[in-house]
Amino acid sequence: MSAATATRSQLALQSYLDALLQEATFEDLEPLVETPPAPAPAPLKPVALAVAEVATPAPALETLPVDHGFDEFEAAVLEEIERVTSDIDQVSQFIVFGDSLSDAGNFPDLQSPTLGGNPTGGLRFTNRTGPTYGPGEYIGEVGTQRLAGMLGLQSLPSTPLLPALLTGNPDGTNYAVGGYRTDQILDSINGDSIVEVGGLSRTRPGYLRENPRVDSNALYYLNGGGNDIFQLNTNPVTMAQAASNLVAGVGALQAAGARYIIVSDLPDVGTTPLGAFTGQAATFNFLSDQFNAELASQLQAQGGNYVLVNNRLLLAEVRADLAAFGFDPNVAQTAVCFDASAGNCQADPVYSLGGSAPDPSRLLFNDAVHPTTAVHQISADYLYSILSAPWEVSLLPEMGRSALRAHLQQLDTELAALRGDWQPIGAWRTFVQGGYNRPEYDGYGGGDGHGLSLSLGVTHRLSEAWLAGVSLGLAENSLELGRNDSDYDMRSYLATAFARYEYQRLFADFSLSAGYLDYHDLKRTFALGITERTEKGDTEGTLWGAAVKTGFNLMQPGDRLQFGPFIGASYQKVDVDGYSEKGARSTTLSYDDQELDSLRLSLGLFGDYALTERTRLFGEVAREVEREDEDRRDLRMSLNSVPGNSFELPGAVPTGDQTRFSVGLTHRLTPGLALRANYHYRGNDNRDHGLGLSLALDL
């Protein structure tokens, strides 16, 4: 683009914003409440109730000077995009429909930092980022934006009035607009998305008009209902009708192929500064009760896969323990607000804008109905805890498989060490093995584990070519997963019968395994704002497996170097019983039974080298290919506090193809006693390291 062209574009943009500034003021976007003469709810100017989602400031943007070059601004935008990127890819997109609770900035924020004298930020219905919380600062992100960042995605406004040339952002997938009633939310799905203020408007086709067949791997989120209550005087509607609009939106998305849909209930809108200011708290809460009852009932009747989250209970839990979440317990939190400029709530004398020590993080509400970014953070963490839970819990079968693999790896090491060193026909040999393994998993914050094992086994020489035995194993395994180090412990009891055949250069191994898994002290830990919460449970499981491996020695028996190829196949099945976390808080969950099937084929090379008469080095390398569970599975679960709603969300991707290798050393201490040590590794999508030490004694 030439300099002249750029100048013309900026001049056109300047004219656009000048017209906007003349026709709209910041006050036009603030909620206005008429003092009600009767118990009926007082109308609000079209501005939605927002209750719970997160808003982390955009640090790269909030420090922008008042006037700067476009290139500098664009760089800051790119930096912010990079900031919110995470290391997971559980869902492909995040698409949002709702009101001011979720509005990512479709309206222009006329007091935001400027570019060439023009505002560059979108209006969001919460507090500014600070330190002054006034003009020249960006407004904090709402919860859907923060959640998107935690998922490695974006939540940009769908129909912003500020052009992309100014903001550096294209039209996004957040169709939530401040002031939207549920009928308008439905229109943004299958009709038109319309954003208008001060005589300026923009229309974009609704999501399903642009996407008749949706991305089935995307996450969809809907909230609404507050504005249907606040606008009853100007737009009469029953709560059944209001709820049916959201339900119809869910149904339309499901029919178009959406698999993962989250629907927020409506918190007690009377338990806000607006309820206290107008004296209509009881009326507002009664209507909230009606809306939620209709929403739950109609969603259940419609069916399909959806998650109805309990924001109402979550916020009640916050109010019951204000100090734990960083809010001042000595403040009448439901009666005061941070920004009382609209005149419909009472400013807190200490923490409000203009107070003695302004700090929105100490207050629940920014204005009469909209929460501060601190509350948004809590609710976003709440949603993230639900989305990450199936990834964590679906690794319980992987825990069992990891324990069995470590057990079999130790056994395989023992058999490899026996090559050319069998006991006499009819004789017995016993062995004891200790091992440590460390699995690593990618996903929501990642995770790793620790495993300690002890095995006791015995072998019997049946004939010149056959050796058979049994191994019993006990292991303690733990996993630490996620951003807040959830802790999952498992004790395994394993038994394996095995046999080896050797004839000249040919060998073959056979094994059959079974086990019981005791999952205890399962602690799912996650953030809720500045605090942490842990939900606990217990369950059990079983497993069995079978394996065969055959190989050919390319060298002569008795040579110092033994070397050759092998092929193998193994089948493993792990079943984990469903369980419920204890209690019925907003965050407790229940999970259905899980099953993991694994059929792996392997091709590799083995080697064995005699260092001395008494010491040998051995090892192998192989490629394992998974032929059974290769794709991510959904886990069926439910919120304990939301009866009648079970749903499926994506779990972890089962461990797929892997490359593995092992190396070991065996040393004969005495004619009937040998010491062995080994290291093994397998990795690709997930990884596992292990160490082992054993003693073998001829009986």
Side-chain angles (χ1 to χ4, degrees):
M1 178 185 294
S2 68
T5 303
T7 299
R8 286 195 298 273
S9 299
Q10 289 181 327
L11 288 173
L13 186 60
Q14 179 72 58
S15 299
Y16 175 93
L17 266 297
D18 287 344
L20 178 62
L21 289 168
Q22 292 173 6
E23 296 173 356
T25 64
F26 183 77
E27 285 76 16
D28 290 328
L29 304 177
E30 294 287 344
L32 301 176
V33 182
E34 299 175 3
T35 302
L44 271 180
K45 190 173 181 179
V47 146
L49 172 72
V51 177
E53 305 270 9
V54 57
T56 296
L61 300 181
E62 67 187 32
T63 58
L64 293 175
V66 174
D67 289 293
H68 49 76
F70 181 72
D71 290 343
E72 188 179 345
F73 178 74
E74 185 178 36
V77 171
L78 293 175
E79 183 180 340
E80 173 65 7
I81 292 172
E82 184 178 355
R83 180 189 69 83
V84 299
T85 301
S86 77
D87 61 349
I88 63 170
D89 188 22
Q90 300 297 111
V91 292
S92 56
Q93 297 184 77
F94 186 40
I95 297 113
V96 178
F97 309 95
D99 52 30
S100 55
L101 168 64
S102 305
D103 191 337
N106 281 294
F107 298 112
D109 176 17
L110 305 182
Q111 298 187 22
S112 63
T114 60
L115 172 65
N118 300 313
T120 58
L123 179 67
R124 295 184 286 270
F125 297 84
T126 186
N127 55 272
R128 296 189 183 273
T129 56
T132 67
Y133 309 103
E137 298 174 351
Y138 288 102
I139 298 175
E141 293 176 332
V142 296
T144 47
Q145 294 177 286
R146 176 59 177 162
L147 178 62
M150 296 164 78
L151 296 173
L153 303 171
Q154 289 183 298
S155 185
L156 298 174
S158 66
T159 318
L161 292 179
L162 289 177
L165 182 60
L166 183 62
T167 64
N169 294 319
D171 290 350
T173 57
N174 189 321
Y175 290 80
V177 177
Y180 266 13
R181 303 181 305 271
T182 54
D183 59 318
Q184 295 167 305
I185 295 171
L186 179 59
D187 285 342
S188 70
I189 297 174
N190 56 22
D192 289 320
S193 174
I194 301 174
V195 179
E196 54 186 347
V197 64
L200 183 70
S201 68
R202 183 185 171 197
T203 299
R204 179 183 175 185
Y207 176 72
L208 290 183
R209 289 184 59 196
E210 291 186 339
N211 305 274
R213 294 300 300 172
V214 305
D215 180 358
S216 61
N217 292 317
L219 176 66
Y220 300 84
Y221 179 83
L222 293 86
N223 85 282
N227 287 320
D228 295 82
I229 295 175
F230 295 145
Q231 299 176 33
L232 274 177
N233 287 2
T234 57
N235 189 74
V237 65
T238 67
M239 293 299 98
Q241 292 171 326
S244 70
N245 290 326
L246 282 191
V247 175
V250 172
L253 291 168
Q254 291 172 336
R259 295 165 58 195
Y260 311 120
I261 303 173
I262 297 177
V263 185
S264 175
D265 69 347
L266 185 62
D268 294 321
V269 298
T271 312
T272 62
L274 177 65
F277 187 84
T278 63
Q280 296 196 69
T283 301
F284 285 172
N285 285 343
F286 174 75
L287 293 171
S288 301
D289 289 342
Q290 284 190 321
F291 179 87
N292 285 332
E294 289 289 343
L295 183 64
S297 174
Q298 293 183 35
L299 282 171
Q300 189 173 355
Q302 178 172 271
N305 192 48
Y306 67 92
V307 185
L308 179 59
V309 295
N310 202 340
N311 267 311
R312 185 184 194 187
L313 178 58
L314 172 69
L315 294 180
E317 293 166 357
V318 172
R319 293 194 299 270
D321 194 5
L322 291 168
F325 294 92
F327 305 109
D328 192 332
N330 300 312
V331 171
Q333 294 285 351
T334 59
V336 300
C337 64
F338 178 71
D339 183 359
S341 60
N344 51 22
C345 65
Q346 180 181 344
D348 182 76
V350 178
Y351 301 116
S352 70
L353 189 64
S356 59
D359 186 356
S361 68
R362 301 286 281 164
L363 300 175
L364 291 177
F365 291 94
N366 178 60
D367 56 29
V369 293
H370 300 107
T372 59
T373 55
V375 177
H376 279 289
Q377 179 70 60
I378 294 169
S379 188
D381 287 336
Y382 171 51
L383 294 176
Y384 186 83
S385 76
I386 296 171
L387 293 170
S388 60
W391 176 79
E392 293 186 9
V393 174
S394 64
L395 287 174
L396 295 183
E398 284 282 0
M399 258 181 110
R401 179 163 68 168
S402 179
L404 178 58
R405 283 179 173 175
H407 173 72
L408 293 177
Q409 179 65 48
Q410 289 292 90
L411 179 59
D412 192 62
T413 298
E414 183 68 21
L415 292 175
L418 291 176
R419 185 177 293 114
D421 188 29
W422 288 15
Q423 66 264 41
I425 295 175
W428 295 84
R429 177 178 288 168
T430 187
F431 60 88
V432 59
Q433 300 171 320
Y436 169 80
N437 71 299
R438 179 181 173 85
E440 299 173 353
Y441 301 99
D442 292 331
Y444 284 89
D448 53 53
H450 306 274
L452 291 173
S453 62
L454 180 66
S455 297
L456 180 65
V458 63
T459 62
H460 181 64
R461 180 83 176 268
L462 301 174
S463 67
E464 187 68 28
W466 282 98
L467 185 80
V470 175
S471 177
L472 303 177
L474 173 68
E476 283 285 351
N477 298 85
S478 65
L479 283 181
E480 290 186 354
L481 301 172
R483 291 171 174 248
N484 294 79
D485 293 331
S486 298
D487 189 17
Y488 300 89
D489 294 333
M490 180 196 74
R491 183 176 294 114
S492 61
Y493 304 86
L494 305 172
T496 298
F498 60 92
R500 165 162 278 211
Y501 173 82
E502 284 190 15
Y503 180 73
Q504 295 181 353
R505 299 182 183 185
L506 181 68
F507 75 89
D509 295 331
F510 309 89
S511 68
L512 184 64
S513 304
Y516 169 74
L517 307 173
D518 176 17
Y519 295 94
H520 56 278
D521 295 329
L522 306 181
K523 301 175 183 176
R524 183 173 61 90
T525 303
F526 48 90
L528 281 180
I530 66 169
T531 192
E532 277 190 349
R533 179 175 287 188
T534 297
E535 303 295 0
K536 302 177 181 179
D538 302 282
T539 189
E540 59 185 12
T542 57
L543 62 80
W544 71 273
V548 61
K549 180 170 73 173
T550 183
F552 186 80
N553 187 3
L554 299 176
M555 313 302 288
Q556 293 289 338
D559 287 354
R560 192 170 187 178
L561 174 65
Q562 304 289 297
F563 173 79
F566 68 86
I567 59 173
S570 66
Y571 177 79
Q572 296 167 353
K573 180 179 177 64
V574 184
D575 292 298
V576 178
D577 293 346
Y579 72 99
S580 293
E581 294 169 340
K582 299 175 176 64
R585 296 192 293 190
S586 62
T587 49
T588 54
L589 295 163
S590 294
Y591 313 92
D592 277 14
D593 295 348
Q594 297 186 74
E595 180 182 290
L596 185 150
D597 293 278
S598 175
L599 175 61
R600 303 175 78 85
L601 307 178
S602 60
L603 175 65
L605 298 170
F606 74 90
D608 189 315
Y609 184 74
L611 298 173
T612 69
E613 239 182 66
R614 300 169 61 186
T615 306
R616 290 174 30 240
L617 182 69
F618 58 91
E620 62 181 40
V621 61
R623 180 65 177 174
E624 294 185 344
V625 180
E626 179 63 54
R627 286 292 179 263
E628 192 68 32
D629 273 349
E630 298 182 89
D631 300 322
R632 176 183 293 118
R633 286 190 173 185
D634 292 345
L635 176 60
R636 179 159 291 279
M637 48 197 286
S638 60
L639 283 159
N640 294 357
S641 62
V642 183
N645 175 219
S646 67
F647 49 87
E648 292 183 344
L649 287 174
V653 177
T655 300
D657 301 350
Q658 289 187 313
T659 297
R660 64 175 176 87
F661 73 86
S662 63
V663 60
L665 190 71
T666 179
H667 179 71
R668 191 168 64 251
L669 300 173
T670 67
L673 180 66
L675 176 67
R676 325 197 199 281
N678 71 91
Y679 167 79
H680 70 268
Y681 168 83
R682 64 176 72 234
N684 194 4
D685 43 2
N686 296 319
R687 297 155 298 282
D688 200 339
H689 307 262
L691 295 170
L693 189 67
S694 67
L695 278 173
L697 176 67
D698 289 349
L699 300 178

